Amino acid sequence: MHIAILGATGRVGRRVLALALADGHEVTALVRDPNNIERQPDNLTLIQGDACQAADLLATVSRADTVISCLSTGGAEVLSTATPLLVGAMGQAGVRRVVTVGTAGILQSREHPALLRYETPDTRRSSTRAAEEHRRAWEALAASGLRWTVVCPTYLPEGEPQNLFRAERDYLPDGGTSITTGDTAAFTYRAALDDAWAGCRVGLAY
């Protein structure tokens, strides 16, 4: 399988990249600085560019069977800019499957089913900017016609996979408070290899 990866130098993305390369997949990764990728085996192609540039995205996904995006909000409107461009590039390239990493804030609230978790009156977020960015990205994917999945981890400390996490469609598993970057990457990578979680947000937590 040929996998295109965005955000391959981030906390989750670098782990997804390592898993894909270890399994022998052909990988194309879009990066701002290739020097941030220490290991560059023969099955890795690096595209130096910007996820907010349509031409760079098309070059990255043009030969892919599936796309994994671990882009963060980047302190700006990176996701809401890049996601529609990614949808367009995938359409041009004829690629249908995409898995992205979001946030648990855009899952449905159990206590207020008509609201997303970040919109509830009892949210403890000092700012909803990042959640709103993730929401716009999710909405663009949901309207795209692609086979999409948004992986939505809760509090995300650095850590190795424990392989004991819970996953739930559109909701955060009840009582879940954290999930490591290692387990988030492992789930994201596996989700990209099939369609089992296509068409939904997936809440991840221990």
Side-chain angles (χ1 to χ4, degrees), residues 75-153:
E77 296 181 349
V78 172
L79 287 178
S80 58
T81 300
T83 303
L85 295 175
L86 175 60
V87 169
M90 291 178 64
Q92 285 184 259
V95 185
R96 302 288 298 157
R97 184 74 175 113
V98 57
V99 177
T100 71
V101 177
T103 173
I106 64 168
L107 296 167
Q108 297 304 129
S109 167
R110 292 188 188 279
E111 294 77 16
H112 308 275
L115 300 177
L116 302 182
R117 294 182 75 248
Y118 84 90
E119 297 176 308
T120 59
D122 55 348
T123 184
R124 289 179 288 178
R125 291 172 175 80
S126 57
S127 170
T128 62
R129 184 199 62 79
E132 288 164 356
E133 268 288 284
H134 281 290
R135 178 181 188 158
R136 286 190 284 270
W138 159 50
E139 290 174 339
L141 291 172
S144 69
L146 299 174
R147 298 197 306 273
W148 60 273
T149 303
V150 181
V151 178
C152 297

Side-chain angles (χ1 to χ4, degrees), residues 52-96:
C52 292
Q53 296 297 319
D56 295 341
L57 289 168
L58 182 58
T60 303
V61 307
S62 61
R63 296 184 298 124
D65 299 300
T66 187
V67 177
I68 301 174
S69 174
C70 302
L71 293 173
S72 68
T73 56
E77 296 181 349
V78 172
L79 287 178
S80 58
T81 300
T83 303
L85 295 175
L86 175 60
V87 169
M90 291 178 64
Q92 285 184 259
V95 185
R96 302 288 298 157

Side-chain angles (χ1 to χ4, degrees), residues 122-204:
D122 55 348
T123 184
R124 289 179 288 178
R125 291 172 175 80
S126 57
S127 170
T128 62
R129 184 199 62 79
E132 288 164 356
E133 268 288 284
H134 281 290
R135 178 181 188 158
R136 286 190 284 270
W138 159 50
E139 290 174 339
L141 291 172
S144 69
L146 299 174
R147 298 197 306 273
W148 60 273
T149 303
V150 181
V151 178
C152 297
T154 185
Y155 170 60
L156 191 61
E158 192 68 44
E160 298 305 310
Q162 307 299 312
N163 298 309
L164 297 172
F165 60 85
R166 295 173 292 153
E168 184 172 346
R169 190 181 187 96
D170 296 327
Y171 288 87
L172 186 67
D174 195 29
T177 58
S178 69
I179 179 88
T180 65
T181 52
D183 274 321
T184 299
F187 180 89
T188 300
Y189 169 63
R190 290 199 296 268
L193 301 183
D194 61 44
D195 281 350
W197 294 94
C200 71
R201 296 153 291 162
V202 185
L204 284 188

Side-chain angles (χ1 to χ4, degrees), residues 1-5 17 20-21 25-29 43-46:
M1 180 177 284
H2 194 128
I3 301 174
I5 301 179
L17 176 64
L21 292 174
H25 295 291
E26 291 293 320
V27 177
T28 300
N43 58 329
L44 173 62
T45 299
L46 296 179

